Amino acid sequence: MQNTDTTPSTDASRAAARRQQILCAAARCFREHGFHGASIAKISAIAGMSPGHIYHYFENKEAIIAAIVAQDLESLLEMTAQFRAACNVRAALIERAAEGVVRQLDPDAAGLKLEIVAEAARNPRVAQIVNEADIICRRELAIVIGDIRRRSGHQDSPAAIDGMVEVLACLFEGLLQRTIRNPGLDRDKVTQRIQIAIDDLLNQPGEDALAARP
């Protein structure tokens, strides 16, 4: 007798693999041709499937971008969950920052992310996609940084924590442009300096001390 217990699971795995195949093909197309130049026909050719097959999984190119952004968001959420579970949250954040620098300095990843941001500047739907993901990212990082600051004896307002999150985001998002503009940069030195900058950020004085500065 044929065992059909695993059929739904197998179908789901096959569908997930095909979705990923499409996302990889689309990412390559977006990098090489830009969002508008990356037609569904070109994506389908790289993916090795018909355009109709792609439309079975994604309604349009904006839906493909949403899936790519969702994958990046999922990776960040997994990382922040690991931070919060660590015995030393601060040390975990600084140590794992090295992995983040490597990812941001990957030319392929940088080219794709910059293309998506550029499209967000023109396309309200894509802007909504990246803005909603950014809100979640900032919220989760605020939880991590707030926890680190409280353990160090600081009492910060939500606005102060949000400011630290923005500085952290600027550090990492700036790497996307630097790896394109200066592909020969010393990644090890940049990683070390970024880790020092994060440590300094987490050590900054509380709001009262900052307000007292001339």
Side-chain angles (χ1 to χ4, degrees), residues 13-56:
S13 297
R14 186 180 297 111
R18 286 174 177 168
R19 281 175 56 87
Q20 191 59 41
Q21 184 179 352
I22 294 169
L23 294 180
C24 290
R28 176 179 163 186
C29 260
F30 292 152
R31 287 194 304 267
E32 294 179 354
H33 305 288
F35 181 80
H36 292 282
S39 64
I40 292 295
K42 288 179 180 177
I43 295 172
S44 67
I46 293 175
M49 59 182 68
S50 69
H53 203 166
I54 290 179
Y55 283 120
H56 175 75

Side-chain angles (χ1 to χ4, degrees), residues 1 22 49 97 107 132 193 198 206:
M1 179 180 298
I22 294 169
M49 59 182 68
E132 289 176 353
R193 290 297 178 183
I198 293 173

Side-chain angles (χ1 to χ4, degrees), residues 48-207:
M49 59 182 68
S50 69
H53 203 166
I54 290 179
Y55 283 120
H56 175 75
Y57 292 98
F58 298 101
E59 180 181 1
N60 49 38
K61 289 190 293 185
E62 284 86 356
I64 293 175
I65 283 185
I68 292 173
V69 171
Q71 283 188 337
D72 286 343
L73 177 60
E74 183 179 359
S75 295
L76 184 135
L77 295 180
E78 289 177 358
M79 185 178 295
T80 54
Q82 291 168 4
F83 291 156
R84 292 198 296 269
C87 295
N88 188 325
V89 181
R90 181 197 188 99
L93 173 60
I94 295 173
E95 179 182 355
R96 295 291 296 277
E99 298 177 23
V101 172
V102 170
R103 285 197 301 272
Q104 295 296 89
L105 290 179
D106 176 72
D108 287 344
L112 175 61
K113 291 177 182 179
L114 289 173
E115 180 59 38
I116 290 175
V117 171
E119 181 59 23
R122 302 182 291 261
N123 185 324
R125 174 57 187 137
V126 176
Q128 180 183 6
I129 291 167
V130 299
N131 290 342
E132 289 176 353
D134 188 69
I135 289 171
I136 297 172
C137 287
R138 286 187 283 110
R139 182 191 68 202
E140 295 302 311
L141 287 172
I143 293 172
V144 172
I145 292 177
D147 183 37
I148 293 172
R149 294 282 291 176
R150 282 190 297 274
R151 294 188 187 195
S152 300
H154 296 286
Q155 297 296 323
D156 301 294
S157 69
I161 296 297
D162 288 344
M164 296 180 197
V165 170
E166 282 297 335
V167 170
L168 189 61
C170 287
L171 282 173
F172 279 89
E173 291 184 16
L175 293 172
L176 298 175
Q177 289 198 38
R178 295 310 304 159
T179 192
I180 301 297
R181 294 168 67 91
N182 181 19
L185 60 82
D186 189 322
R187 283 163 168 72
D188 291 337
K189 288 184 179 178
V190 168
T191 298
Q192 184 181 36
R193 290 297 178 183
I194 290 288
Q195 289 177 312
I196 291 172
I198 293 173
D199 192 45
D200 289 343
L201 176 69
L202 297 174
N203 279 333
Q204 74 172 9
E207 291 177 295

